[in-house]
Amino acid sequence: ISSFLTVIVAFVTALLALLVYPVRALLRRARRKPVRSDARFRKVIVLGLDGLEPTIVDRMLAEGRLPHLQRLRERGGYARLGTSTPALSPVAWSTFATGCDSSRHGIWDFLARDRNSYLPRLSSSETYGRQRFWRLGPFRIPRGGSGVRSLRRSKSFWKVLDEHGVFTSVLRVPITFPPEKTDGVMISGMCVPDLRGSQGTF
């Protein structure tokens, strides 16, 4: 019975979301700030590849083994960037998002030390509070009391763009969980915890 109820609830929720979507889209458009009309480019795409070693890429481009990346380089921009200190993925992506180094955004590694227990914990987000439930016979219905917050400090560039009325799509960028509230769309990437609060099966 519970599986059947889950399917019914999912269907009704999807139907309501579909019916309410036009109203939400109109409200979003009404709240959106006007974008400057003197922009040189209407769209910009930033493609980030984690762990891409530039000397290998330069050699493969020279050998003609990366034709699609070669075409992107010719039509767009291509430059070497400095990395973060320390040169680890969560640190580098947080630096990319905020333009700040670790001393300002606060992400130094995948894990950090819990100051109370000295046990390792995720460095990018934390769960707070305690989940409360309503009891309905054998069922427990969650009613809040807990949540998840990002531990990354400093403002991301897509939040700045959002404040200036620029729509952004942030797809699978690491260290973006929980997703920030913006007028765009965001799907968090690496370091999304699984249902157990670990990094095993995100």
PDB file of all heavy atoms in Angstrom, residues 43-63:
ATOM      1  N   LYS A  43      25.133  35.257 -24.797  1.00  0.00           N
ATOM      2  CA  LYS A  43      25.297  34.029 -24.015  1.00  0.00           C
ATOM      3  C   LYS A  43      26.776  33.733 -23.847  1.00  0.00           C
ATOM      4  O   LYS A  43      27.568  33.950 -24.759  1.00  0.00           O
ATOM      5  CB  LYS A  43      24.650  32.826 -24.715  1.00  0.00           C
ATOM      6  CG  LYS A  43      23.152  32.807 -24.648  1.00  0.00           C
ATOM      7  CD  LYS A  43      22.608  31.517 -25.207  1.00  0.00           C
ATOM      8  CE  LYS A  43      21.097  31.517 -25.114  1.00  0.00           C
ATOM      9  NZ  LYS A  43      20.513  30.296 -25.643  1.00  0.00           N
ATOM     10  N   VAL A  44      27.129  33.239 -22.676  1.00  0.00           N
ATOM     11  CA  VAL A  44      28.490  32.810 -22.393  1.00  0.00           C
ATOM     12  C   VAL A  44      28.413  31.426 -21.764  1.00  0.00           C
ATOM     13  O   VAL A  44      27.597  31.193 -20.867  1.00  0.00           O
ATOM     14  CB  VAL A  44      29.199  33.776 -21.420  1.00  0.00           C
ATOM     15  CG1 VAL A  44      30.566  33.240 -21.030  1.00  0.00           C
ATOM     16  CG2 VAL A  44      29.324  35.156 -22.038  1.00  0.00           C
ATOM     17  N   ILE A  45      29.233  30.501 -22.245  1.00  0.00           N
ATOM     18  CA  ILE A  45      29.288  29.151 -21.679  1.00  0.00           C
ATOM     19  C   ILE A  45      30.682  28.937 -21.121  1.00  0.00           C
ATOM     20  O   ILE A  45      31.678  29.157 -21.817  1.00  0.00           O
ATOM     21  CB  ILE A  45      28.972  28.077 -22.747  1.00  0.00           C
ATOM     22  CG1 ILE A  45      27.548  28.252 -23.271  1.00  0.00           C
ATOM     23  CG2 ILE A  45      29.172  26.678 -22.171  1.00  0.00           C
ATOM     24  CD1 ILE A  45      27.205  27.363 -24.439  1.00  0.00           C
ATOM     25  N   VAL A  46      30.749  28.538 -19.863  1.00  0.00           N
ATOM     26  CA  VAL A  46      32.020  28.195 -19.238  1.00  0.00           C
ATOM     27  C   VAL A  46      32.024  26.682 -19.069  1.00  0.00           C
ATOM     28  O   VAL A  46      31.177  26.123 -18.380  1.00  0.00           O
ATOM     29  CB  VAL A  46      32.182  28.885 -17.865  1.00  0.00           C
ATOM     30  CG1 VAL A  46      33.488  28.463 -17.226  1.00  0.00           C
ATOM     31  CG2 VAL A  46      32.115  30.394 -18.017  1.00  0.00           C
ATOM     32  N   LEU A  47      32.961  26.008 -19.726  1.00  0.00           N
ATOM     33  CA  LEU A  47      33.079  24.556 -19.652  1.00  0.00           C
ATOM     34  C   LEU A  47      34.276  24.227 -18.782  1.00  0.00           C
ATOM     35  O   LEU A  47      35.406  24.576 -19.108  1.00  0.00           O
ATOM     36  CB  LEU A  47      33.269  23.980 -21.061  1.00  0.00           C
ATOM     37  CG  LEU A  47      33.518  22.485 -21.179  1.00  0.00           C
ATOM     38  CD1 LEU A  47      32.308  21.705 -20.701  1.00  0.00           C
ATOM     39  CD2 LEU A  47      33.843  22.120 -22.616  1.00  0.00           C
ATOM     40  N   GLY A  48      34.040  23.588 -17.640  1.00  0.00           N
ATOM     41  CA  GLY A  48      35.115  23.239 -16.724  1.00  0.00           C
ATOM     42  C   GLY A  48      35.341  21.741 -16.694  1.00  0.00           C
ATOM     43  O   GLY A  48      34.392  20.978 -16.570  1.00  0.00           O
ATOM     44  N   LEU A  49      36.588  21.326 -16.832  1.00  0.00           N
ATOM     45  CA  LEU A  49      36.940  19.912 -16.810  1.00  0.00           C
ATOM     46  C   LEU A  49      37.857  19.671 -15.616  1.00  0.00           C
ATOM     47  O   LEU A  49      38.969  20.204 -15.561  1.00  0.00           O
ATOM     48  CB  LEU A  49      37.624  19.501 -18.115  1.00  0.00           C
ATOM     49  CG  LEU A  49      36.796  19.768 -19.381  1.00  0.00           C
ATOM     50  CD1 LEU A  49      37.620  19.502 -20.620  1.00  0.00           C
ATOM     51  CD2 LEU A  49      35.538  18.934 -19.391  1.00  0.00           C
ATOM     52  N   ASP A  50      37.397  18.883 -14.668  1.00  0.00           N
ATOM     53  CA  ASP A  50      38.132  18.666 -13.424  1.00  0.00           C
ATOM     54  C   ASP A  50      39.384  17.829 -13.671  1.00  0.00           C
ATOM     55  O   ASP A  50      39.340  16.797 -14.334  1.00  0.00           O
ATOM     56  CB  ASP A  50      37.218  17.960 -12.423  1.00  0.00           C
ATOM     57  CG  ASP A  50      37.795  17.938 -11.030  1.00  0.00           C
ATOM     58  OD1 ASP A  50      38.458  18.906 -10.650  1.00  0.00           O
ATOM     59  OD2 ASP A  50      37.591  16.940 -10.316  1.00  0.00           O
ATOM     60  N   GLY A  51      40.508  18.281 -13.155  1.00  0.00           N
ATOM     61  CA  GLY A  51      41.746  17.518 -13.235  1.00  0.00           C
ATOM     62  C   GLY A  51      42.393  17.506 -14.610  1.00  0.00           C
ATOM     63  O   GLY A  51      43.211  16.630 -14.903  1.00  0.00           O
ATOM     64  N   LEU A  52      42.053  18.443 -15.466  1.00  0.00           N
ATOM     65  CA  LEU A  52      42.603  18.470 -16.822  1.00  0.00           C
ATOM     66  C   LEU A  52      44.011  19.048 -16.791  1.00  0.00           C
ATOM     67  O   LEU A  52      44.211  20.203 -16.455  1.00  0.00           O
ATOM     68  CB  LEU A  52      41.701  19.320 -17.720  1.00  0.00           C
ATOM     69  CG  LEU A  52      41.977  19.257 -19.203  1.00  0.00           C
ATOM     70  CD1 LEU A  52      41.662  17.882 -19.749  1.00  0.00           C
ATOM     71  CD2 LEU A  52      41.140  20.286 -19.928  1.00  0.00           C
ATOM     72  N   GLU A  53      44.998  18.249 -17.112  1.00  0.00           N
ATOM     73  CA  GLU A  53      46.405  18.669 -17.047  1.00  0.00           C
ATOM     74  C   GLU A  53      46.766  19.414 -18.331  1.00  0.00           C
ATOM     75  O   GLU A  53      46.679  18.871 -19.421  1.00  0.00           O
ATOM     76  CB  GLU A  53      47.280  17.425 -16.878  1.00  0.00           C
ATOM     77  CG  GLU A  53      48.549  17.681 -16.088  1.00  0.00           C
ATOM     78  CD  GLU A  53      49.562  18.464 -16.883  1.00  0.00           C
ATOM     79  OE1 GLU A  53      49.786  18.144 -18.055  1.00  0.00           O
ATOM     80  OE2 GLU A  53      50.122  19.417 -16.325  1.00  0.00           O
ATOM     81  N   PRO A  54      47.138  20.702 -18.250  1.00  0.00           N
ATOM     82  CA  PRO A  54      47.252  21.527 -19.459  1.00  0.00           C
ATOM     83  C   PRO A  54      48.367  21.114 -20.418  1.00  0.00           C
ATOM     84  O   PRO A  54      48.208  21.265 -21.626  1.00  0.00           O
ATOM     85  CB  PRO A  54      47.497  22.944 -18.907  1.00  0.00           C
ATOM     86  CG  PRO A  54      47.988  22.746 -17.523  1.00  0.00           C
ATOM     87  CD  PRO A  54      47.373  21.472 -17.031  1.00  0.00           C
ATOM     88  N   THR A  55      49.486  20.590 -19.920  1.00  0.00           N
ATOM     89  CA  THR A  55      50.558  20.227 -20.861  1.00  0.00           C
ATOM     90  C   THR A  55      50.138  19.043 -21.731  1.00  0.00           C
ATOM     91  O   THR A  55      50.480  18.979 -22.913  1.00  0.00           O
ATOM     92  CB  THR A  55      51.861  19.890 -20.110  1.00  0.00           C
ATOM     93  OG1 THR A  55      51.618  18.826 -19.186  1.00  0.00           O
ATOM     94  CG2 THR A  55      52.388  21.097 -19.362  1.00  0.00           C
ATOM     95  N   ILE A  56      49.394  18.119 -21.167  1.00  0.00           N
ATOM     96  CA  ILE A  56      48.892  16.985 -21.955  1.00  0.00           C
ATOM     97  C   ILE A  56      47.901  17.476 -23.001  1.00  0.00           C
ATOM     98  O   ILE A  56      47.934  17.064 -24.170  1.00  0.00           O
ATOM     99  CB  ILE A  56      48.265  15.920 -21.044  1.00  0.00           C
ATOM    100  CG1 ILE A  56      49.321  15.325 -20.113  1.00  0.00           C
ATOM    101  CG2 ILE A  56      47.581  14.828 -21.852  1.00  0.00           C
ATOM    102  CD1 ILE A  56      48.760  14.394 -19.040  1.00  0.00           C
ATOM    103  N   VAL A  57      47.011  18.391 -22.599  1.00  0.00           N
ATOM    104  CA  VAL A  57      46.014  18.926 -23.538  1.00  0.00           C
ATOM    105  C   VAL A  57      46.701  19.695 -24.662  1.00  0.00           C
ATOM    106  O   VAL A  57      46.356  19.523 -25.837  1.00  0.00           O
ATOM    107  CB  VAL A  57      45.011  19.832 -22.792  1.00  0.00           C
ATOM    108  CG1 VAL A  57      44.073  20.521 -23.772  1.00  0.00           C
ATOM    109  CG2 VAL A  57      44.209  19.016 -21.802  1.00  0.00           C
ATOM    110  N   ASP A  58      47.686  20.534 -24.324  1.00  0.00           N
ATOM    111  CA  ASP A  58      48.398  21.293 -25.364  1.00  0.00           C
ATOM    112  C   ASP A  58      49.078  20.355 -26.360  1.00  0.00           C
ATOM    113  O   ASP A  58      49.033  20.583 -27.571  1.00  0.00           O
ATOM    114  CB  ASP A  58      49.441  22.219 -24.728  1.00  0.00           C
ATOM    115  CG  ASP A  58      48.809  23.386 -23.990  1.00  0.00           C
ATOM    116  OD1 ASP A  58      47.634  23.685 -24.268  1.00  0.00           O
ATOM    117  OD2 ASP A  58      49.484  23.987 -23.132  1.00  0.00           O
ATOM    118  N   ARG A  59      49.693  19.287 -25.855  1.00  0.00           N
ATOM    119  CA  ARG A  59      50.361  18.335 -26.739  1.00  0.00           C
ATOM    120  C   ARG A  59      49.344  17.641 -27.646  1.00  0.00           C
ATOM    121  O   ARG A  59      49.570  17.494 -28.849  1.00  0.00           O
ATOM    122  CB  ARG A  59      51.137  17.303 -25.912  1.00  0.00           C
ATOM    123  CG  ARG A  59      52.020  16.401 -26.771  1.00  0.00           C
ATOM    124  CD  ARG A  59      52.766  15.365 -25.967  1.00  0.00           C
ATOM    125  NE  ARG A  59      51.843  14.324 -25.530  1.00  0.00           N
ATOM    126  CZ  ARG A  59      51.631  13.974 -24.266  1.00  0.00           C
ATOM    127  NH1 ARG A  59      52.275  14.567 -23.280  1.00  0.00           N
ATOM    128  NH2 ARG A  59      50.785  13.023 -23.956  1.00  0.00           N
ATOM    129  N   MET A  60      48.212  17.213 -27.071  1.00  0.00           N
ATOM    130  CA  MET A  60      47.197  16.514 -27.871  1.00  0.00           C
ATOM    131  C   MET A  60      46.528  17.452 -28.874  1.00  0.00           C
ATOM    132  O   MET A  60      46.173  17.035 -29.979  1.00  0.00           O
ATOM    133  CB  MET A  60      46.167  15.865 -26.951  1.00  0.00           C
ATOM    134  CG  MET A  60      46.747  14.713 -26.128  1.00  0.00           C
ATOM    135  SD  MET A  60      45.553  13.978 -25.001  1.00  0.00           S
ATOM    136  CE  MET A  60      44.561  13.041 -26.143  1.00  0.00           C
ATOM    137  N   LEU A  61      46.370  18.731 -28.520  1.00  0.00           N
ATOM    138  CA  LEU A  61      45.846  19.700 -29.481  1.00  0.00           C
ATOM    139  C   LEU A  61      46.813  19.875 -30.647  1.00  0.00           C
ATOM    140  O   LEU A  61      46.395  19.915 -31.809  1.00  0.00           O
ATOM    141  CB  LEU A  61      45.599  21.047 -28.791  1.00  0.00           C
ATOM    142  CG  LEU A  61      44.359  21.163 -27.917  1.00  0.00           C
ATOM    143  CD1 LEU A  61      44.397  22.440 -27.097  1.00  0.00           C
ATOM    144  CD2 LEU A  61      43.086  21.102 -28.746  1.00  0.00           C
ATOM    145  N   ALA A  62      48.108  19.964 -30.341  1.00  0.00           N
ATOM    146  CA  ALA A  62      49.123  20.118 -31.399  1.00  0.00           C
ATOM    147  C   ALA A  62      49.163  18.909 -32.317  1.00  0.00           C
ATOM    148  O   ALA A  62      49.422  19.029 -33.517  1.00  0.00           O
ATOM    149  CB  ALA A  62      50.498  20.351 -30.772  1.00  0.00           C
ATOM    150  N   GLU A  63      48.874  17.712 -31.778  1.00  0.00           N
ATOM    151  CA  GLU A  63      48.868  16.491 -32.576  1.00  0.00           C
ATOM    152  C   GLU A  63      47.549  16.288 -33.316  1.00  0.00           C
ATOM    153  O   GLU A  63      47.410  15.343 -34.079  1.00  0.00           O
ATOM    154  CB  GLU A  63      49.126  15.283 -31.664  1.00  0.00           C
ATOM    155  CG  GLU A  63      50.522  15.264 -31.056  1.00  0.00           C
ATOM    156  CD  GLU A  63      50.666  14.200 -29.977  1.00  0.00           C
ATOM    157  OE1 GLU A  63      49.665  13.494 -29.681  1.00  0.00           O
ATOM    158  OE2 GLU A  63      51.770  14.072 -29.418  1.00  0.00           O
TER     159      GLU A  63
END
